Amino acid sequence: MATDDSKTKDSKTNDGKDGKKRGRIRETFTQIGRVYRYTRRVDSKLPWVMALSFGIPVLISVLLPLFLYRRSIVGWILTVLTGIMIGFTVAVWMLTNRSNTAVYSEMEGKPGATAMVLSNLNNKAYTFYDQPIWVDPRTKDMVLIGTSLSGIFLVGEGDYGRVQRAMDAQTKKIKRITQGSAIPIYRICVGTGPKQIPLKDLRKSIVRGHKMKLRQDELTNLNNRISTLQKRNNTMNMPQGIDPSRVHISPRALRGR
């Protein structure tokens, strides 16, 4: 009797695990479908791109056994299954990239879009503040600040001339609180005009091409000083009715998941 009860409990445990696994798989495909529908609205070529991404590896896997092992049914089946898995992976990868492009194109030019992208960079290596260090109450042009082991980043959004003048002023303030150090300050202006970078290239511009200049303890000290400057500037300059951290773009769509 005890053995039967034990078997019943094991069976229920296995059923529970299988149910959770099926639920995760179903949720994964639901998310893929959601991202596909979102991207399809702004990318008319997506169905063809995904079809080719999936179809080419499958076609190769079907034809390849004809030359390698014509008489091996098992080898043919395994090759086709491998081709299907590779095709599915490539198709999902293409969907992820094109969904990111679609999200960036939809966000381009909207106030606060830069802050949304920077918020997805926040981790142990990068710290970007949600609120801008400077903002123009009339035009909503803004400058955001962040730090990493490479130095300080000033990221501007809006008219290039106004943003550069604001960055000049903020650079002077930063140099006062970091007096005596040689911490580099990198200036990036986001937009579609000359000397500006597109929103979709912002992450790449920050992550790539900057050497480490600080130790972790120096970065912690720098973050404390920047936080003080940030609070002081927000108290003096922050206009009413703007919160760049609340852009109505799905972070899940931004990550392509």
Side-chain angles (χ1 to χ4, degrees):
M1 190 69 178
T3 304
D4 292 340
D5 291 341
S6 178
K7 289 182 178 179
T8 302
K9 290 181 180 178
D10 292 341
S11 177
K12 289 182 178 179
T13 302
N14 291 334
D15 289 343
K17 291 181 179 179
D18 291 341
K20 289 181 180 180
K21 188 175 181 179
R22 286 194 296 269
R24 287 195 296 267
I25 294 173
R26 196 181 310 112
E27 177 63 21
T28 298
F29 280 97
T30 300
Q31 290 179 6
I32 291 174
R34 194 180 300 129
V35 173
Y36 175 84
R37 289 190 296 272
Y38 169 82
T39 310
R40 177 69 178 82
R41 288 191 292 107
V42 294
D43 187 352
S44 59
K45 296 180 180 179
L46 180 65
W48 291 104
V49 171
M50 291 192 66
L52 289 173
S53 300
F54 178 77
I56 291 176
V58 173
L59 181 62
I60 292 174
S61 69
V62 171
L63 298 177
L64 194 61
L66 298 178
F67 301 96
L68 295 181
Y69 28 80
R70 299 181 183 180
R71 298 180 182 179
S72 175
I73 300 298
V74 175
W76 184 83
I77 293 173
L78 291 176
T79 304
V80 172
L81 289 175
T82 301
I84 291 173
M85 288 189 290
I86 293 174
F88 179 78
T89 302
V90 174
V92 171
W93 181 78
M94 291 298 298
L95 173 62
T96 300
N97 284 327
R98 295 183 82 90
S99 68
N100 286 341
T101 302
V103 170
Y104 285 130
S105 65
E106 186 173 355
M107 292 173 65
E108 190 80 63
K110 292 184 178 179
T114 300
M116 187 63 185
V117 175
L118 293 178
S119 68
N120 284 277
L121 267 175
N122 279 332
N123 52 39
K124 291 182 179 180
Y126 295 92
T127 301
F128 283 95
Y129 296 85
D130 292 334
Q131 299 294 339
I133 197 170
W134 171 88
V135 63
D136 187 315
R138 182 175 58 85
T139 64
K140 302 299 187 291
D141 295 344
M142 64 183 68
V143 175
L144 297 113
I145 190 169
T147 62
S148 76
L149 292 173
S150 301
I152 300 170
F153 292 90
L154 290 177
V155 183
E157 175 185 280
D159 178 78
Y160 182 80
R162 282 193 296 267
V163 167
Q164 288 300 314
R165 288 191 292 273
M167 284 185 177
D168 290 339
Q170 296 306 319
T171 298
K172 292 178 182 178
K173 293 180 182 180
I174 292 169
K175 287 184 176 180
R176 281 200 294 268
I177 66 172
T178 59
Q179 193 171 10
S181 66
I183 300 174
I185 301 174
Y186 306 101
R187 297 164 58 146
I188 301 171
C189 190
V190 178
T192 56
K195 300 181 181 180
Q196 294 179 312
I197 65 166
L199 186 65
K200 64 182 179 64
D201 294 335
L202 175 57
R203 182 186 181 93
K204 180 173 62 177
S205 298
I206 292 173
V207 174
R208 298 181 184 176
H210 302 296
K211 296 180 180 180
M212 290 188 181
K213 303 289 185 178
L214 304 173
R215 300 191 309 269
Q216 188 61 50
D217 61 316
E218 292 174 330
L219 178 60
T220 301
N221 183 42
L222 174 62
N223 282 334
N224 291 335
R225 296 188 180 190
I226 294 295
S227 294
T228 302
L229 176 63
Q230 174 83 359
K231 291 175 182 177
R232 187 185 307 147
N233 280 3
N234 283 345
T235 301
M236 292 187 297
N237 299 327
M238 194 64 190
Q240 297 295 321
I242 179 171
D243 186 353
S245 66
R246 298 195 177 189
V247 179
H248 297 293
I249 300 292
S250 168
R252 180 179 293 168
L254 184 61
R255 292 190 297 266
R257 295 197 295 270

